[in-house]
Amino acid sequence: MERVPRTLSTAIAALVVAVCAAGVAWYRLGPLTRATVWAEDGGPFFRDRVAYGAGESLFHPYAGYLHLLPRLVVDVGFARPIEQYAVTVAATCCVVVGIVAGSVFVLARDLVPAWPLRLVLAAVPVLVPVVPYEISGNAANLHWFMLVLVPWLVSARVRTWWSSAVVALLAAAAVLTEPQTLLFLPLLAVAWWRPTTAERLRALPVTIVVVAAGTLQVVTALTTYRPSHPGDPTVRDVVRGYLLQPVAGAWTRGVGSVADAVGRHGWVVLAVPVAVVAVLVVAALVVGTWRARIQVVALAGGSVAVWTAGLVANVTANGGWGERAVAEFVGAEPSRYGAASAVLLTSAVVLAAAVLADARTWSLRRPASRRGVVAGLAGGTAAWVAIAVVVAAAVTNVAPGVTQRSDGPAWAPQVQAGVTACRADPSGSVEVRTAPWSTAVPCALVLR
C-alpha cells in the first residue's frame, strides 16, 4: 500500500516540474518569437502535412531521417485555427520540453536524491542561456532535447511494469525523432544490471523499442537521400569551436562576447573554466557510485560527441574556428549544434556537483577519518559553488532576448490578411512569410 502514495507524489512532483519548465521556456521566447513560424515548421513539415495528411506524414523521411515528434507537433498546429499555428507550435514544443524536464526530475532520483539539486538538473534544458536563440519553441529543433532525455531513459532502473511502459513510450518517441540518441545505446546495460531476473526483465520494453526505433532510423538514413553535404573539420576546428560555442553558450547567450574576451586576454579565459569543469567531473568519477560515474561520462562525453558529429555530418555546421582568427567571431551567433552540446555539458556539471554534494558519497568512502571529513567539506563546497555558477548563468540570461525569430514576421496577421482573397477564390492559397522562408497556406485552411 505504500507504493500508491509514493507513486502519486512522484507523479505530482513530475507534473509540477513539467508545467513550471514549460512556462519558463515559453517566457524566454518573447512574444514575437512565439508568434513567428521557424524554418521546417512552415516548410517541409507543413507542406508534408498538407500533402499526405496526419497519418502518412508521421513517418515521412526528411533530410535523411524520421522526425516523429515534430510531425506530431505540426498535427497539433493543424488541429487548431490555422492563424494560431505559430503560437500553437511554440506552446506545444514548450510542453514537450517541460515533459523532458519532468522526466529527468523523476529518473535522476536514485543518483540525485536531494530534490533541490535534482530540480536544477531537470531545469537545465530550459535554462541554458543559448537555448532560446534557435532550438527552443519550434518543432524543427525539438530533436535536440531528446539527446538530454534519452541517457536517463535507457539507463532507468524502473520499479514497476507501469513505469517500464512509460519509459519505453518516451524512448520510442525520442529515438524516432533523433538518430543521434543511438550514441547512448550502451547505457541499456545499466538498466539490465539488476540483482534479480524480474528486475532485469523490466528493462526489456525499453530495449525492444529503442532497438526497433533505432533500426528504423538507420534504414531510413541508408535508403533516403540527404541533401546536406558532410563536413571535414580539423581537430583544431572541433576543439576551438567547442570552446567558443558549447562552453561559452553554457554561460552566456552572447557567445560573440566570449570570443572578444579571448581575443583581448587569450585562451586562458576559456581554459580556466574548462579545467575547473574537468576537475569537478574527475572528482565525481573518483568518489561517485558506478552508476553515477557512467552517467557523468555519458553526458560529458555525449556533449563532445554531439558537437563533433554535427561538424562531421554537416559542412555548414563548421564555422572555421580552427582557421580563422578569434577576432572574426566577435558578435558571432550561437550555433544550434552548440546549444545541444551546451545542454549536455551543463547537465554533466550539475550531476557531478550533485554527486560531490551528497554527504553519503563521502561517508561511504571515508566514514571515520579526519581526511574524509576534510575531503567531504572541500568536495561539497566545490559542488555548491558549481551549482551556484550554473544557477547564476541561468538567472542572468532568463529574460527574453534576441532570437532567430525576434524580428518576425508574425504568422497570424498574414493569414488574416489573406481571408478576403481566399473568399474570392477558395481553391487558392495564401503566401505567408516565415523565418527565414515562406509557405503557401491553402485557402481551405484559412477559411476553416
Side-chain angles (χ1 to χ4, degrees):
M1 294 295 292
E2 272 183 37
R3 183 174 291 172
V4 175
R6 189 183 303 124
T7 301
L8 181 60
S9 63
T10 299
I12 292 173
L15 180 61
V16 170
V17 171
V19 170
C20 292
V24 173
W26 174 261
Y27 166 74
R28 295 194 70 197
L29 293 175
L32 189 51
T33 294
R34 296 192 293 258
T36 302
V37 172
W38 174 248
E40 284 85 358
D41 298 6
F45 295 159
F46 189 95
R47 292 195 298 268
D48 289 347
R49 177 60 175 76
V50 171
Y52 303 111
E56 192 176 343
S57 65
L58 286 182
F59 293 95
H60 188 75
Y62 166 66
Y65 62 100
L66 302 174
H67 306 254
L68 179 61
L69 279 178
R71 303 287 192 179
L72 288 171
V73 169
V74 169
D75 283 346
V76 174
F78 270 65
R80 301 193 69 244
I82 202 64
E83 67 268 18
Q84 298 177 24
Y85 178 74
V87 293
T88 301
V89 168
T92 307
C93 289
C94 290
V95 169
V96 172
V97 177
I99 292 172
V100 170
S103 300
V104 171
F105 183 79
V106 172
L107 295 170
R109 62 186 172 183
D110 289 342
L111 299 183
V112 188
W115 72 263
L117 294 177
R118 197 155 21 104
L119 186 60
V120 175
L121 179 64
V124 166
V126 297
L127 290 180
V128 165
V130 294
V131 160
Y133 183 77
E134 183 172 351
I135 74 170
S136 183
N138 63 83
N141 287 288
L142 197 57
H143 60 104
W144 294 116
F145 294 100
M146 299 304 103
L147 293 169
V148 185
L149 178 60
V150 164
W152 297 101
L153 292 174
V154 296
S155 64
R157 303 175 78 174
V158 295
R159 296 173 175 83
T160 67
W161 282 105
W162 281 108
S163 300
S164 179
V166 172
V167 167
L169 180 63
L170 292 172
V175 178
L176 287 172
T177 299
E178 173 54 79
Q180 286 186 96
T181 53
L182 295 177
L183 291 170
F184 300 106
L185 198 62
L187 289 177
L188 283 169
V190 176
W192 281 91
W193 197 268
R194 304 294 296 274
T196 67
T197 301
E199 290 175 316
R200 287 193 290 270
L201 286 177
R202 284 199 285 271
L204 186 60
V206 70
T207 302
I208 291 174
V209 301
V210 167
V211 171
T215 301
L216 281 175
Q217 286 285 23
V218 171
V219 170
T220 301
L222 294 176
T223 58
T224 306
Y225 170 70
R226 188 170 185 272
S228 300
H229 297 289
D232 185 23
T234 64
V235 173
R236 190 179 172 90
D237 287 327
V238 173
V239 174
R240 290 181 62 173
Y242 187 77
L243 294 174
L244 291 172
Q245 285 286 337
V247 174
W251 168 252
T252 176
R253 62 164 65 108
V255 294
S257 64
V258 176
D260 179 54
V262 171
R264 288 185 289 110
H265 304 292
W267 285 99
V268 67
V269 171
L270 288 169
V272 170
V274 167
V276 172
V277 169
V279 169
L280 190 72
V281 169
V282 170
L285 296 181
V286 171
V287 303
T289 64
W290 68 271
R291 285 186 63 202
R293 294 170 181 171
I294 290 174
Q295 202 72 1
V296 169
V297 169
L299 294 171
S303 172
V304 176
V306 166
W307 171 255
T308 305
L311 269 61
V312 171
N314 305 276
V315 67
T316 56
N318 188 359
W321 296 281
E323 287 71 37
R324 297 163 59 188
V326 178
E328 296 185 44
F329 300 107
V330 175
E333 299 172 344
S335 164
R336 63 181 179 273
Y337 304 98
S341 186
V343 172
L344 286 167
L345 176 63
T346 307
S347 298
V349 169
V350 174
L351 178 57
V355 170
L356 294 178
D358 190 350
R360 300 177 310 165
T361 299
W362 303 98
S363 62
L364 290 173
R365 294 286 169 180
R366 301 180 185 276
S369 69
R370 181 179 299 175
R371 184 180 299 176
V373 173
V374 173
L377 288 173
T381 301
W384 283 108
V385 169
I387 293 292
V389 170
V390 170
V391 172
V395 170
T396 55
N397 289 274
V398 74
V402 176
T403 74
Q404 289 277 40
R405 294 176 281 160
S406 56
D407 291 330
W411 172 275
Q414 298 181 77
V415 174
Q416 291 164 355
V419 170
T420 301
C422 281
R423 284 174 178 163
D425 181 13
S427 63
S429 63
V430 176
E431 191 72 17
V432 179
R433 290 191 304 117
T434 64
W437 306 328
S438 65
T439 190
V441 180
C443 284
L445 291 176
V446 175
L447 299 175
R448 185 176 58 183

